[in-house]
Amino acid sequence: MPNARGLAGFNPRHLLSIADLNRLDIEMLLELGETYLDLSVQKDSKNSVLAGKTLINLFFENSTRTEKSFELAGRRLGADVINMAIAQSSVAKGETLLDTAATLNAMNPDLLVIRHGASGAPALLAQKVSCAVINAGDGMHEHPTQALLDALCLRQAVQEDGGQLDGLRIAICGDILHSRVARSNVQLLNILGCEVRLIGPPTLLPADADRWGVDVFHDMKTGLEGCDAIMMLRLQLERMGGTFIPSKREYFHFYGLDRAKLAYAKPDALVMHPGPMNRGVEISSDIADDPDISLITKQVEAGVAMRMAILHALSLRGDRA
Ligand code: NCD
C-alpha cells in the first residue's frame, strides 16, 4: 500500500481547479498516480487507504469514464461509495443544489465528487459542505482530474522512451471554446513546463485565448509542426447554442486528425482524446485505434490510478484537520 510520506506538504483542501495546485502538489499527485498505476497490474489491487470513509459521487451531467473511474478508485481504496442517480433523486423534485448539499453534508461524507453543467457549481458546494470537494467537470470551466490523468498518461509514455514532460510541445485541437478539458490542461501543462499550442477554427477558440500562455493556430499544418503530442477534443454540440461549423464533413476535412495531418507533427507524436470520441468528426478510427500512436485506452487506465491518488491525497487533509 503506498504510504503517505510522499504527500508531506500536500495541503489543498479541495480540487476545484488546477489553480488549487502548485507544481510540487502536481508532482506529488503524479508520483502517487504512478504508484497506483503500477499496483493496478497486480491481481489484488485493492487496499484500505480509505477504509471507513465515504465518497459520494454527484453527477448532474452524463458520464461514463469519469463517474465509473471515481467509483472504482474509491472502491479500490476501500471507501464506501455512493453514486447519486440525479434523475431518481430529490433534485428531480426541484431541490436546489444548496439544499442537496446540506442534505448530503448531514450524512458526513469525507469526499464529494461533483459534475455539474454550471461553471462554479463545485466551488459553491465547497463553501457549504465540510468535506473535500472534487470537481469532475463544471460547465465549460474546468476538469482538473482529466488534466491530471492526461499528464500521468503522457508522462508514462514519454518516460518509456527516456523523455520527460518538461519542454514537450503539445497541441490541443478542436472545440477549445466549449472545453473544460482544454482549460484545465492548458494551466497544468504550462505549470509543468510544456509549450502549449491551441489549434481550431476562430469560431471555436475563446476570444481571450491569446492570454492563456499558449500559441494559437487556425490551421493544422502550421499548428502541428514539431508537436510531440496532440490532444484532440470532441465537438461539444450540446454546448453550442448556434452554428459554429459549416458541417461535420467540412470540420473533419480541416481539423479532423487523420494520417495526412498527423504527418505534420513529429514522426513519433502521440495522440490523446479524453473521450467520448466522435469518430470521423474530430479523429479517424485509423488513428484512434492504432496502439503505437494512440494513448486513448491508456488514458482510461490512468484515470482510475490518478483518481485513486487524488482521493488518497485529499483524504489525508481531512485526517489532519
Ligand atoms: C470530457 C468532459 O466531460 O468534459 N469527457 C470526459 O470527462 N472524459 C470531454 C467531453 O465530454 O468531450
Side-chain angles (χ1 to χ4, degrees):
M1 183 193 303
N3 63 41
R5 264 203 314 272
L7 288 166
F10 183 91
N11 276 319
R13 171 151 175 66
H14 306 288
L15 180 53
L16 306 173
S17 159
I18 290 298
D20 291 330
L21 307 171
N22 59 34
R23 184 166 185 156
L24 207 62
D25 297 329
I26 294 166
E27 304 279 359
M28 285 190 268
L29 287 175
L30 289 174
E31 284 300 316
L32 189 57
E34 189 174 319
T35 311
Y36 279 123
L37 203 53
D38 293 343
L39 286 176
S40 70
V41 293
Q42 291 175 15
K43 244 203 160 81
D44 187 14
S45 54
K46 282 193 81 152
N47 67 48
S48 53
V49 165
L50 295 187
K53 301 207 185 261
T54 305
L55 161 67
I56 298 183
N57 271 328
L58 194 55
F59 278 65
F60 289 85
E61 276 189 348
N62 297 343
S63 173
T64 305
R65 275 152 279 264
T66 309
E67 183 175 3
K68 293 299 161 235
S69 64
F70 266 115
E71 182 177 354
L72 204 55
R75 288 190 198 285
R76 286 197 178 155
L77 294 175
D80 295 321
V81 182
I82 294 169
N83 291 325
M84 292 277 298
I86 297 299
Q88 285 125 47
S89 72
S90 293
V91 174
K93 298 181 186 167
E95 189 173 71
T96 65
L97 176 63
L98 292 183
D99 286 338
T100 304
T103 306
L104 296 175
N105 198 44
M107 296 177 196
N108 272 322
D110 300 280
L111 296 144
L112 218 148
V113 176
I114 174 173
R115 167 171 287 193
H116 200 284
S119 300
L124 185 66
L125 202 73
Q127 292 170 19
K128 303 290 170 190
V129 297
S130 37
C131 65
V133 176
I134 299 165
N135 178 4
D138 61 332
M140 295 167 15
H141 178 229
E142 279 217 45
H143 195 350
T145 68
Q146 178 71 41
L148 284 160
L149 79 86
D150 287 344
L152 174 63
C153 182
L154 187 59
R155 192 172 88 139
Q156 291 293 107
V158 295
Q159 274 177 359
E160 276 169 26
D161 293 327
Q164 55 174 20
L165 288 179
D166 204 326
L168 288 190
R169 179 181 288 177
I170 301 174
I172 305 178
C173 312
D175 184 2
I176 317 273
L177 179 64
H178 301 103
S179 177
R180 51 198 180 201
V181 175
R183 284 177 179 76
S184 288
N185 255 319
V186 165
Q187 293 177 66
L188 182 63
L189 295 171
N190 271 330
I191 294 174
L192 292 175
C194 300
E195 178 194 328
V196 187
R197 293 179 164 199
L198 300 182
I199 314 174
T203 50
L204 293 178
L205 279 156
D208 65 345
D210 54 342
R211 278 180 272 145
W212 289 13
V214 296
D215 292 314
V216 177
F217 296 84
H218 297 305
D219 76 288
M220 294 287 267
K221 186 167 185 192
T222 46
L224 289 180
E225 203 186 317
C227 283
D228 299 279
I230 310 168
M231 296 180 166
M232 298 307 298
L233 296 173
R234 183 173 65 88
L235 212 47
Q236 290 151 87
L237 299 170
E238 77 279 17
R239 299 195 199 287
M240 295 185 192
T243 311
F244 287 77
I245 52 161
S247 71
K248 286 185 189 168
R249 231 174 99 176
E250 188 166 332
Y251 181 79
F252 184 77
H253 176 73
F254 287 106
Y255 295 101
L257 191 65
D258 55 11
R259 296 266 165 194
K261 294 190 199 76
L262 181 63
Y264 301 138
K266 276 196 182 161
D268 51 357
L270 296 163
V271 174
M272 306 175 79
H273 192 304
M277 272 185 283
N278 284 319
R279 293 169 181 264
V281 179
E282 68 263 358
I283 191 166
S284 71
S285 286
D286 175 35
I287 304 256
D289 299 333
D290 184 338
D292 293 331
I293 300 170
S294 165
L295 295 179
I296 298 170
T297 314
K298 291 197 169 147
Q299 282 173 271
V300 180
E301 216 180 307
V304 178
M306 195 65 227
R307 284 167 180 135
M308 288 172 86
I310 293 164
L311 295 174
H312 182 161
L314 288 174
S315 74
L316 291 177
R317 171 67 200 255
D319 290 344
R320 286 197 291 265

